[in-house]
Amino acid sequence: MTSESELLAKIEAAGEELRAAKSSSFEKASWEPLLKELLAAKAEYKTITGKDYINPGGSESGGRKKKKEEAVSIASSEKNKAKNAAKAAKKAEKEAAKARNRAAREEAARSKADKLKGGSDVCFGDAPLVRSAFTTDRVWTNVRDLTPSCAGKNVLVRGHVQTVRTVGRVTFLLLRSALYTVQAVCAPSSSIPNEMLQYLAALPMESVVDASATVTLPPEQVSGATQKMVELQLREVRCVSRADPVLPFQMEDALRPEAAETDVGAYDATTESSAAEGGRVGQEMRLNYRWIDLRTPANQAIFRIEAMVGTLFREYLTSVDFVEMHSPKLIAGSSEGGSDVFKLNYFDRGACLAQSPQLYKQMAAACGGFGRVYEVGPVFRAENSNTRRHLCEFTGLDLEMVINEHYFEVLDVLSSLFVYIFDGIKKRCSNELERVREQHPFEDLIYLEKTFRLTYKEGCDLLKEAGVEQVSISQPDVFFTS
């Protein structure tokens, strides 16, 4: 009986012959008998051993197949790596290009912003902070002094930017200083770059600027400015103080005139600006942002007229031998009857604010030998009246004089004093009066150069003729009736 080892040798020999035959000829007929012989040997092997024949080189063949698959996988992986690397490189190049473009755009934006910001090497830009580190020979011209006689002159003007508007390629600024405004014009030229116009157009309203310009005479009067006969051709502009882009209210709204003359001291806390009122600014808003409202020419004028009243009051009284005095305002008790006082603690002692300099005026004039004295100072009255015609604090203009023989002497002084003040305001504050009139319409004050005076009897007679009951001067208990 054939052994297992002999059958294995027989199967392997048959397999070698079959492989050799297949490699030498593609004809099936030439190697088919060898295949049948190999299959018969494998069947006999199974019969004898009870198991299928396993090719000893199967593991090697499987190994070769695995290695081949691994080689293919490695080759595929290497190929994918190369492909992915190419993709990554392309993406990196694209990102780098984007970064370069972004950097170029940012640089262009910075360059444009720098141009719009201006600087010392160009004719516009923000001025450095004033640190009192140096002085120059620059001279500022007041807007008030810009008249046709200045035509052709180069001037330096400082003012608030009230409005900015662009018409075509020309930019117009309205510059305001106190009561006065002037129009400034800027057009592109060889010395004026387009960036300067953009810089001016972007200035927030109410910014303070220094404008170097040439004074010219416009072909027509500038209706929107107080200096109607001139305008400024800008050569250089520096922003000294940049305002917030958004203000509580616009100066143009705060300048709107009242519809008609209002009652003295009229005040409505509920009034606010509204579109229906043409953008008017209410009293409450004005008081909440008083520092802006004070810039209006009308308010500027009111304070200047008030200051002039004090000046004229002092001038006249000094000219007729009055002496100015300054009485204390913290006193131990009330200085006159008829009104309450504001009480306070004065180093653990009771004190109050002076209601009037009355006591001190009388002491100085009648008892101290001065004869004639006056004072301009604060007065405090604790009157809880809550009306617009009562003030708890005001500035009093007081005078006191000795009467030589008749109280008409006092009337003469008062008459001449008022006429002097009225004449002085009309003469010295004509511009201020017009600025007030533009926003708060009023009629001119009419007064007599020589104050009309009635005696007491003449006054009583006129009242009697008008039907008013009067007491007889010679007989106090007798009433006159019509």
Side-chain angles (χ1 to χ4, degrees):
M1 186 176 179
T2 307
S3 64
E4 181 179 350
S5 58
E6 290 175 340
L7 287 174
L8 288 173
K10 182 179 179 180
I11 291 171
E12 289 192 12
E16 289 295 333
E17 290 180 7
L18 179 61
R19 283 193 287 273
K22 283 184 175 183
S23 62
S24 61
S25 175
F26 294 100
E27 296 291 337
K28 184 177 180 181
S30 62
W31 50 263
E32 187 174 11
L34 296 173
L35 177 59
K36 291 180 178 180
E37 182 180 348
L38 176 60
L39 293 175
K42 288 182 176 182
E44 185 180 359
Y45 177 82
K46 185 176 181 179
T47 302
I48 294 174
T49 61
K51 55 185 180 180
D52 291 330
Y53 170 77
I54 297 177
N55 187 353
S59 59
E60 181 183 353
S61 175
R64 285 199 302 270
K65 183 177 180 181
K66 186 174 181 181
K67 288 180 181 179
K68 184 177 180 181
E69 290 175 350
E70 289 176 354
V72 170
S73 176
I74 291 172
S76 176
S77 177
E78 292 297 332
K79 186 176 180 181
N80 287 337
K81 284 182 180 179
K83 187 176 180 180
N84 291 337
K87 282 184 178 180
K90 188 174 181 181
K91 183 177 181 180
E93 177 59 29
K94 185 181 288 188
E95 292 297 328
K98 286 183 179 179
R100 288 194 296 271
N101 292 336
R102 183 165 54 251
R105 288 195 300 271
E106 291 175 353
E107 179 60 28
R110 277 195 298 271
S111 177
K112 183 177 180 180
D114 290 340
K115 287 183 179 179
L116 291 177
K117 188 183 296 184
S120 58
D121 58 336
V122 291
C123 56
F124 65 97
D126 292 354
L129 180 66
V130 176
R131 299 180 183 275
S132 300
F134 57 87
T135 60
T136 67
D137 57 357
R138 294 183 299 171
V139 177
W140 280 263
T141 300
N142 198 305
V143 173
R144 173 195 59 206
D145 299 327
L146 296 176
T147 62
S149 63
C150 299
K153 293 182 179 179
N154 293 329
V155 296
L156 174 61
V157 174
R158 176 170 291 184
H160 287 87
V161 177
Q162 183 165 309
T163 61
V164 179
R165 58 190 178 91
T166 299
V167 180
R169 299 187 64 197
V170 182
T171 299
F172 298 88
L173 279 73
L174 188 64
L175 300 180
R176 186 188 72 254
S177 176
L179 307 175
Y180 306 94
T181 54
V182 64
Q183 178 171 274
V185 184
C186 186
S189 65
S190 58
S191 59
I192 303 295
N194 289 325
E195 289 79 9
M196 180 172 177
L197 275 69
Q198 298 176 40
Y199 176 84
L200 296 178
L203 281 174
M205 298 304 98
E206 291 304 297
S207 295
V208 179
V209 299
D210 277 346
S212 298
T214 303
V215 181
T216 60
L217 304 180
E220 298 180 358
Q221 291 187 10
V222 183
S223 59
T226 61
Q227 310 309 99
K228 302 179 184 299
M229 305 302 295
V230 297
E231 63 182 6
L232 303 178
Q233 302 297 326
L234 293 174
R235 295 181 292 108
E236 182 177 350
V237 174
R238 300 290 171 184
C239 184
V240 178
S241 177
R242 186 175 292 269
D244 288 339
V246 180
L247 296 174
F249 55 84
Q250 295 299 316
M251 186 58 62
E252 288 293 286
D253 293 335
L255 294 174
R256 297 185 188 279
E258 301 294 338
E261 185 173 354
T262 57
D263 193 9
V264 176
Y267 170 64
D268 183 359
T270 63
T271 301
E272 291 295 341
S273 59
S274 67
E277 296 175 337
R280 297 185 186 279
V281 182
Q283 189 77 303
E284 194 78 7
M285 179 71 77
R286 290 179 184 272
L287 294 176
N288 286 340
Y289 299 96
R290 184 62 167 161
W291 66 92
I292 301 178
D293 185 50
L294 284 174
R295 300 175 190 172
T296 63
N299 279 330
Q300 292 278 323
I302 288 170
F303 276 81
R304 283 166 168 77
I305 294 171
E306 179 186 35
M308 183 56 66
V309 169
T311 297
L312 295 169
F313 180 80
R314 288 184 170 96
E315 281 183 1
Y316 178 76
L317 293 181
T318 301
S319 71
V320 290
D321 298 329
F322 278 77
V323 177
E324 183 173 10
M325 59 177 290
H326 303 282
S327 62
K329 300 299 176 248
L330 285 173
I331 58 180
S334 61
S335 52
E336 65 177 40
S339 64
D340 293 329
V341 296
F342 287 106
K343 298 179 180 179
L344 56 110
N345 183 293
Y346 185 77
F347 302 107
D348 298 325
R349 296 169 57 190
C352 61
L353 296 176
Q355 303 157 288
S356 162
Q358 184 71 26
L359 175 64
Y360 304 99
K361 291 187 302 176
Q362 293 173 342
M363 184 189 305
C367 304
F370 283 89
R372 294 183 168 192
V373 296
Y374 73 89
E375 177 171 343
V376 178
V379 176
F380 304 94
R381 303 287 178 91
E383 299 176 356
N384 190 19
S385 300
N386 294 318
T387 73
R388 63 175 181 266
R389 298 188 183 279
H390 289 79
L391 295 175
C392 290
E393 177 185 1
F394 60 89
T395 300
L397 281 68
D398 289 277
L399 63 88
E400 194 78 27
M401 58 182 285
V402 172
I403 298 173
N404 291 323
E405 62 180 8
H406 199 282
Y407 74 89
F408 277 10
E409 298 167 22
V410 179
L411 296 183
D412 290 338
V413 169
L414 292 176
S415 173
S416 299
L417 171 63
F418 278 108
V419 171
Y420 185 85
I421 291 175
F422 296 154
D423 286 345
I425 291 175
K426 183 189 295 185
K427 181 179 179 180
R428 303 188 201 180
C429 298
S430 57
N431 288 328
E432 286 79 359
L433 291 171
E434 289 309 309
R435 297 293 85 76
V436 175
R437 194 195 308 271
E438 288 170 358
Q439 187 164 358
H440 308 289
F442 65 88
E443 296 181 0
D444 289 333
L445 178 66
I446 299 176
Y447 58 95
L448 298 175
E449 290 296 329
K450 182 174 177 58
T451 303
F452 180 68
R453 183 182 298 172
L454 288 173
T455 65
Y456 181 75
K457 183 178 183 308
E458 290 170 337
C460 291
D461 291 341
L462 289 174
L463 290 172
K464 178 183 176 183
E465 291 176 7
V468 179
E469 294 184 355
Q470 295 296 306
V471 179
S472 170
I473 298 177
S474 59
Q475 303 178 50
D477 296 333
V478 179
F479 281 83
F480 292 122
T481 60
S482 57

